[in-house]
Amino acid sequence: MSGLWGVIGGTGLSQLEGLQLTGESRPQTPWGEPSAPLVHGELAGQPVCFLARHGHPHTIPPHRVNYRANLWALREAGVSRVVAVNAVGGIHADLPTGRFCVPDQLIDYTWGRPSTFYEDGLDEVVHVDFAEPYDASVRAELLRAAAAQGISCRDGGVYAATQGPRLETAAEIRRLERDGADVVGMTGMPEAGLARELGLAYACLALVVNPAAGKSTEVITMAAIEGVVRAGMQQVRDLLQAVLASAD
């Protein structure tokens, strides 16, 4: 698959170091403004479009992100393949803090978020196939790049998307685990579903930044999370460069 790559940066990735900047744009969309300007440039010799999901600086909470404007703006900029970077909590025992995961499934526990482009003025009701929520080819590129970089990355897993912005209770995490979830985050939906509606090849690169609630005796603090994020995001940049360097 060919086409312009887009990168959506989550917590800790509000700008993409190493990007040779060629311009910025802040397009108006039918759904309002995206979270931040689209940053256009080259990484590893390939054109790429970067968007900070939570704004730059990081000020937009997960339930207030304008996911529709973000995805629409990327599509209008010519993006066809999207890597979404997400900071997550680890639920499964083989996903400790600092490890990466490229999920292959998700469960949506969010509510009240605008989650479709197909609401008003329709000629007919539209349903998109979402049985496999992540694009297999983009997932494969991420996994190949992680292996080439020697980055520990789990192939597959279930992403549980919760409402936030508060962290989950231990009982909620036990419920998610019974449901089959491996990691938990707050921004996986409706982003993935909207990408599917627009025909974008979308995959998630998740960095485990803390044990989910009840999975450790330690109190979850933002200071501890930020330390993991700082170390992990350098690996994210290395991995993205490897993906783009081998892209067709």
Side-chain angles (χ1 to χ4, degrees), residues 66-137:
N66 191 339
Y67 296 95
R68 289 192 293 190
N70 287 353
L71 272 298
W72 190 274
L74 287 170
R75 198 273 303 270
E76 290 301 292
V79 168
S80 60
R81 296 180 286 188
V82 178
V83 175
V85 181
N86 298 82
V88 299
I91 298 175
H92 197 284
D94 72 354
L95 286 165
T97 298
R99 194 175 189 207
F100 287 89
C101 176
V102 178
D104 62 343
Q105 279 295 330
L106 64 80
I107 305 173
D108 186 8
Y109 299 93
T110 65
W111 50 270
R113 303 180 181 189
S115 59
T116 181
F117 295 107
Y118 297 109
E119 288 187 321
D120 302 312
L122 303 178
D123 294 326
E124 59 182 19
V125 176
V126 176
H127 303 284
V128 296
D129 179 16
F130 204 50
E132 302 296 330
Y134 300 112
D135 181 79
S137 64

Side-chain angles (χ1 to χ4, degrees), residues 22-203:
T22 59
E24 286 189 358
S25 63
R26 188 151 196 163
Q28 295 294 320
T29 80
W31 318 101
E33 286 191 351
S35 296
L38 301 185
V39 179
H40 307 274
E42 288 191 356
L43 189 66
Q46 292 285 342
V48 65
C49 184
F50 177 79
L51 174 62
R53 182 188 289 117
H54 297 281
H56 183 51
H58 184 291
T59 57
I60 306 172
H63 66 298
R64 290 292 184 88
V65 172
N66 191 339
Y67 296 95
R68 289 192 293 190
N70 287 353
L71 272 298
W72 190 274
L74 287 170
R75 198 273 303 270
E76 290 301 292
V79 168
S80 60
R81 296 180 286 188
V82 178
V83 175
V85 181
N86 298 82
V88 299
I91 298 175
H92 197 284
D94 72 354
L95 286 165
T97 298
R99 194 175 189 207
F100 287 89
C101 176
V102 178
D104 62 343
Q105 279 295 330
L106 64 80
I107 305 173
D108 186 8
Y109 299 93
T110 65
W111 50 270
R113 303 180 181 189
S115 59
T116 181
F117 295 107
Y118 297 109
E119 288 187 321
D120 302 312
L122 303 178
D123 294 326
E124 59 182 19
V125 176
V126 176
H127 303 284
V128 296
D129 179 16
F130 204 50
E132 302 296 330
Y134 300 112
D135 181 79
S137 64
V138 178
R139 288 190 67 255
E141 292 284 353
L142 290 170
L143 291 165
R144 276 196 292 270
Q149 293 291 310
I151 295 172
S152 178
C153 185
R154 187 179 197 254
D155 179 0
V158 179
Y159 180 116
T162 59
Q163 179 70 1
R166 67 166 177 84
L167 296 172
E168 300 73 31
T169 68
E172 288 170 332
I173 292 300
R174 290 195 294 270
R175 174 202 175 191
L176 300 185
E177 189 169 23
R178 289 193 299 270
D179 287 351
D182 298 298
V183 296
V184 58
M186 301 175 188
T187 55
M189 284 293 287
E191 194 172 270
L194 293 167
R196 179 59 52 86
E197 287 188 350
L198 292 179
L200 300 175
Y202 173 102

Side-chain angles (χ1 to χ4, degrees), residues 98 100 150-152 207 231-240:
F100 287 89
I151 295 172
S152 178
L207 170 65
M233 287 306 152
Q234 183 55 58
Q235 290 184 299
V236 167
R237 295 179 186 102
D238 293 342
L239 197 154
L240 291 173

